[in-house]
Amino acid sequence: MNTFHPPFLKEVARRVGLKKYPHVKQFVVQHLYEDTLRLLLLLHDYVSISVVISISYSGNEEVIVALRKKGIRVLTPGFHEIDQVIVNELTHCFKACEAEQQKLLIHEVGGYTIRLLHEKFEAYLHHVIGAVEVTKQGVWEARKLTTLKIPQLNCAETKLKEIEGNMVGESVVASLDQILRAIGYAMVGRKACVFGYGWVGSGVAGALRARGMAVSVFDTDVIKLVEASVNGFQVLKSAKEVTDCNILIGASGHRSITREVIDSLASRCFLVSGSSKDKEIEVAYLTSLATNTKKIHPHIQHYTLKDNRELLLVNEGYPVNFTGSSVPDEIVEFLFAELIILVKILLEETPAPGIYPLAPELEKIPAAVWLEMR
Ligand SMILES: NC(=O)c1ccc[n+]([C@@H]2O[C@H](COP(=O)([O-])OP(=O)(O)OC[C@H]3O[C@@H](n4cnc5c(N)ncnc54)[C@H](O)[C@@H]3O)[C@@H](O)[C@H]2O)c1
């Protein structure tokens, strides 16, 4: 593990007075990078981890080895197996909770477990203290549930998360740039389009402009289009106006690159996700149009379509910034510090079912520690 890094998370845990909670186990669904390793090893000292399920399109083998060395069970399912693995593991965990009189704390990114708990484990929800969640996707999953039956505490919509979102935009473009350079392709002087001008998308658009691209923006929210316009971007009134772009990046968190959009693209356009999971691009439709496909780089699939257009899919439609190291650890860590505070609140205040964002005044703790220690 990188020893250069300051013990920032440890200091936040100390300042907020995190204690050991021997009657609680953690059920974790996470990306596995060095920053998550630091978070998990720290939290494991306070709330023992039953299992870590890694999100398959991200992660790093050394982290898995390091967690296993500490005796932590780690599973690495493929993306399409993750639901089944979570169901299997929850089944085991609930049996153990019953036998050992323990409660379960869900710690996740992406809302996989909260959805499955409500779909398949209603009778066991009394064993669950609640969930802590880092991503907007996870909060959106909780909001979709007709009746949320556990508390979900999140740091997905905080000011520090907004700051991180902008850095994610830069990471998305940096990762893409690195991949494109490897095939001899220059971004500069070309046209890019960004779908979704939120926290991540506005960062993506700015980073593309900084690399000398002509950038257009489309968002389903007209106010966001006004914002993009006053920030100097050309705006599209319809997603189908993408006809002349060379690089299309979806950063909406939804299915924005639909079949209609794919039908409108010019030949040799790159399709890229800058958001979550396989949300952004209708890959199955793209595949159905192909007469031939080949890998031209470990992260680029080249498709020749029935109408002779060529399209290039980056990282199989998963977020491009997970191909390498994404946002610098010290940026992600201020969110992990917020998560530590959420764990303490969840365990000590045991809130009623509902969605609870971290209070703005509590954000000042990790912000202050971060500035002192960096
Ligand atoms: N890849 C990463 O490392 C990473 C990091 C942080 C967040 N994320 C994910 O990125 C996604 C975006 O996050 P955010 O914080 O920017 O969200 P946000 O809510 O701030 O922005 C999303 C924007 O997309 C727009 N939008 C929604 N549907 C659209 C569509 N079909 N077409 C065009 N625009 C549409 C919305 O109006 C909104 O302006 C989320 O899924 C989030 O979980 C990914």
Side-chain angles (χ1 to χ4, degrees):
M1 196 176 8
N2 173 3
T3 47
F4 170 70
H5 205 74
F8 168 65
L9 295 178
K10 201 170 166 188
E11 177 58 16
V12 171
R14 192 192 67 77
R15 283 208 202 173
V16 299
L18 192 66
K19 297 198 276 276
K20 288 188 188 285
Y21 302 88
H23 63 292
V24 184
K25 292 230 180 282
Q26 256 185 101
F27 185 97
V28 180
V29 179
Q30 259 288 10
H31 301 292
L32 294 184
Y33 291 115
E34 268 212 20
D35 47 21
T36 359
L37 176 62
R38 275 192 291 274
L39 172 71
L40 293 178
L41 292 181
L42 179 111
L43 278 179
H44 187 54
D45 283 344
Y46 296 91
V47 187
S48 154
I49 296 176
S50 273
V51 63
V52 176
I53 300 171
S54 99
I55 296 169
S56 63
Y57 56 82
S58 63
N60 144 351
E61 192 54 39
E62 285 158 28
V63 174
I64 295 169
V65 171
L67 288 170
R68 286 185 178 149
K69 250 193 201 158
K70 284 277 173 185
I72 298 174
R73 178 171 163 80
V74 184
L75 299 173
T76 58
F79 184 71
H80 294 287
E81 300 160 336
I82 193 163
D83 278 12
Q84 191 52 52
V85 169
I86 291 174
V87 169
N88 296 346
E89 290 303 307
L90 281 173
T91 308
H92 294 314
C93 279
F94 284 134
K95 275 193 193 136
C97 282
E98 265 169 1
E100 295 160 27
Q101 303 279 302
Q102 293 229 316
K103 295 273 185 196
L104 205 58
L105 178 150
I106 311 299
H107 159 178
E108 68 173 337
V109 295
Y112 300 87
T113 315
I114 203 159
R115 172 176 52 77
L116 289 164
L117 277 174
H118 286 75
E119 281 173 12
K120 299 190 186 290
F121 293 96
E122 276 219 29
Y124 295 88
L125 288 179
H126 59 281
H127 291 301
V128 180
I129 290 194
V132 291
E133 169 65 61
V134 188
T135 69
K136 281 191 184 170
Q137 245 352 295
V139 176
W140 295 340
E141 287 293 340
R143 286 198 185 123
K144 274 193 241 158
L145 297 166
T146 331
T147 315
L148 181 60
K149 297 195 169 154
I150 60 169
Q152 185 202 56
L153 277 58
N154 75 79
C155 52
E157 293 172 334
T158 60
K159 191 68 201 166
L160 290 177
K161 182 75 182 175
E162 181 178 359
I163 294 166
E164 186 236 17
N166 196 272
M167 296 285 294
V168 171
E170 162 57 30
S171 300
V172 163
V173 174
S175 304
L176 179 63
D177 194 10
Q178 196 179 9
I179 292 170
L180 295 179
R181 279 165 192 257
I183 59 161
Y185 187 94
M187 287 177 153
V188 68
R190 289 196 148 106
K191 291 188 178 175
C193 188
V194 181
F195 280 5
Y197 194 73
W199 292 355
V200 174
S202 55
V204 168
L208 290 169
R209 177 158 65 189
R211 281 167 176 76
M213 297 201 78
V215 185
S216 310
V217 167
F218 172 70
D219 196 296
T220 45
D221 178 350
V222 69
I223 307 287
K224 289 286 175 186
L225 289 181
V226 171
E227 188 184 346
S229 186
V230 299
N231 288 337
F233 296 104
Q234 196 195 339
V235 296
L236 307 182
K237 295 202 178 64
S238 144
K240 291 199 278 183
E241 287 177 20
V242 282
T243 48
D244 62 349
C245 83
N246 305 113
I247 295 175
L248 172 57
I249 303 185
S252 73
H254 296 86
R255 180 54 55 84
S256 66
I257 304 180
T258 58
R259 58 186 60 206
E260 291 77 19
V261 172
I262 291 172
D263 286 344
S264 310
L265 292 169
S267 194
R268 296 175 72 79
C269 180
F270 287 86
L271 306 185
V272 186
S273 168
S275 75
S276 302
K277 308 177 185 172
D278 55 356
K279 290 271 165 188
E280 215 70 39
I281 306 169
E282 204 165 337
V283 175
Y285 178 67
L286 176 63
T287 308
S288 76
L289 298 179
T291 54
N292 189 32
T293 107
K294 60 181 183 218
K295 247 191 190 353
I296 59 165
H297 174 277
H299 300 305
I300 304 176
Q301 191 75 23
H302 173 284
Y303 289 79
T304 307
L305 308 190
K306 291 171 191 152
D307 59 11
N308 291 326
R309 282 180 304 149
E310 297 166 52
L311 293 177
L312 298 121
L313 180 67
V314 176
N315 198 24
E316 300 174 24
Y318 294 105
V320 63
N321 58 317
F322 289 112
T323 55
S325 59
S326 180
V327 177
D329 289 4
E330 64 172 333
I331 304 294
V332 177
E333 281 199 0
F334 47 58
L335 299 177
F336 288 170
E338 294 195 335
L339 186 108
I340 289 170
I341 301 176
L342 295 178
V343 167
K344 181 177 156 72
I345 297 173
L346 180 61
L347 294 177
E348 293 188 0
E349 297 178 17
T350 52
I355 298 175
Y356 301 87
L358 182 72
E361 63 274 15
L362 293 176
E363 275 205 278
K364 292 186 180 161
I365 301 168
V369 176
W370 190 81
L371 279 179
E372 281 167 30
M373 295 190 79
R374 85 177 293 226

